[in-house]
Amino acid sequence: MSQVELVAVTKRYGQVVAVHGIDLRIPSGTYCCLLGPSGCGKTSTLRMIAGHETVSDGDVLIDDRNVTDLPPAGRGTAMMFQSYALFPHLSVLDNVGFSLKMRGMRKAERRARAMEMLALVQMTAYAARLPGQLSGGQQQRVALARALVTQPKVLLLDEPLSALDPFLRGRMREELKRLQRELGITFIHVTHGQDEAMALADLVVVMADGAIQQAGPPRIVFDAPRTAFVARFMGGQNVLAGEASADGTGIVLPDGVVVTTRDTVPAGAAAVAVRCDRLHLMPHTPLGLGGADRLDPGRLNQVPGEVSAIEYHGAFVRLSLRRPQGDDLTVLVDDTDYYANPVAIGTLVAAGFAPDDVHVLAH
């Protein structure tokens, strides 16, 4: 198992700075997901760890050894590319053993090692086939076996599931997590899929504009986002912006509705996040519709809105609430509860939520 550390790492492409002096420590044996929108710097970061991109400034350390200037083969890493990059004219077995051939390993030994890796990914029955005779999921397993055959300390994965259909993507997520757990090595996985990162990672690193916005266990990043960007990007959160109340016990929304919080809100412009599944649909009442009608901290906040969309998702129903001023809301309601008391589009309702469920965001 190997620890990976980035120290003030910067990547420039001419005048464009793709990664801005990031610091990150990935403990040994961790499944880490670099997550963010296109152009956020996550792939450049992965490629600098791999040695496929030069580091403009800063250092890359693996097991406290500075590998910044080493070639990819000297770092103890292996990379699985988004395109899989299998040789179409070689069999599955020879694709997996190719890197061992380049290292001068004898044919019998490398084939035995390649078969071990194919067994690990449950592909031994396909050893004689060509890549063109395999499905997308099977090709991915072969690419994974080829990356693992050199016994790397760190496996780097560049959006490995993006080409798969949703059903197969779920299956392969389980396989990746199983392999990481069984092998015990460090995985660093680039993705733009929030669900993928949440399902796989021990450590989620959210990036934007070449910088790390937040890093931590997936439950912490989801439940306690540091900024409005992280809350919106991770999904499942409502972000409400306004001004801190005079006494710092909540925020005042643009339409005068006061949202009481558990934690103190610093003076000035402020924003809070509330999970969509923590909101409850309530009949609209004047209660709480202005600074003078401040709710008692022990009672529910109530934010009014007009139902603008209703989507059935099986276990829950997703409702969008349009607000003439301020941020719109999303409410997730258990399907049984919703159909016991359904509402129509255009209905004026209120979203109720407890002060304890309001998370104050950093400026």
Side-chain angles (χ1 to χ4, degrees), residues 99 105 113 120 218 238 296:
S99 59
M105 184 178 287
R113 177 85 65 82
L120 188 66
N238 289 291
D296 183 278

Side-chain angles (χ1 to χ4, degrees), residues 133-349:
Q133 298 171 315
L134 305 177
S135 68
Q138 290 168 339
Q139 289 183 30
Q140 191 211 43
R141 290 171 184 267
V142 174
L144 187 57
R146 186 178 62 181
L148 292 170
V149 76
T150 58
Q151 299 177 318
K153 297 178 181 178
V154 181
L155 181 64
L156 308 170
L157 304 106
D158 184 11
E159 300 204 40
L161 307 181
S162 60
L164 305 179
D165 63 66
F167 174 76
L168 193 52
R169 199 153 46 233
R171 294 271 309 272
M172 289 309 302
R173 279 203 311 247
E174 295 174 6
E175 285 297 302
L176 285 173
K177 192 65 177 177
R178 176 186 67 82
L179 284 169
Q180 192 270 337
R181 185 172 59 249
E182 290 180 3
L183 295 170
I185 66 176
T186 304
F187 277 35
I188 306 177
H189 176 139
V190 160
T191 179
H192 58 265
Q194 298 88 336
D195 291 346
E196 192 170 303
M198 296 281 285
L200 286 168
D202 306 308
L203 174 66
V204 172
V205 180
V206 182
M207 297 184 67
D209 301 321
I212 294 174
Q213 300 294 309
Q214 186 170 356
R219 186 180 180 190
I220 299 299
V221 174
F222 178 80
D223 201 43
R226 193 175 69 83
T227 65
F229 171 83
V230 175
R232 290 190 175 105
F233 185 79
M234 292 302 294
Q237 298 272 2
N238 289 291
V239 176
L240 297 170
E243 294 284 331
S245 60
D247 59 4
T249 61
I251 69 168
V252 183
L253 303 182
D255 56 0
V257 173
V258 176
V259 173
T260 302
T261 62
R262 176 188 57 196
D263 301 317
T264 302
V265 183
V272 298
V274 189
R275 282 174 47 166
C276 302
D277 60 339
R278 299 293 168 83
L279 272 59
H280 308 279
L281 274 189
M282 305 173 67
H284 173 249
T285 69
L287 184 64
L289 298 187
D293 297 319
R294 164 68 58 74
L295 290 174
D296 183 278
R299 300 172 66 182
L300 288 179
N301 292 299
Q302 294 186 43
V303 178
E306 180 183 304
V307 178
S308 60
I310 302 170
E311 295 179 354
Y312 176 66
H313 287 262
F316 63 89
V317 177
R318 182 181 185 274
L319 293 96
S320 299
L321 307 187
R322 182 182 296 119
R323 290 170 37 75
Q325 298 181 63
D327 301 284
D328 293 341
L329 294 173
T330 298
V331 184
L332 302 182
V333 183
D334 177 85
D335 71 315
T336 302
D337 294 341
Y338 174 79
Y339 286 108
N341 295 284
V343 296
I345 290 177
T347 304
L348 188 61
V349 297

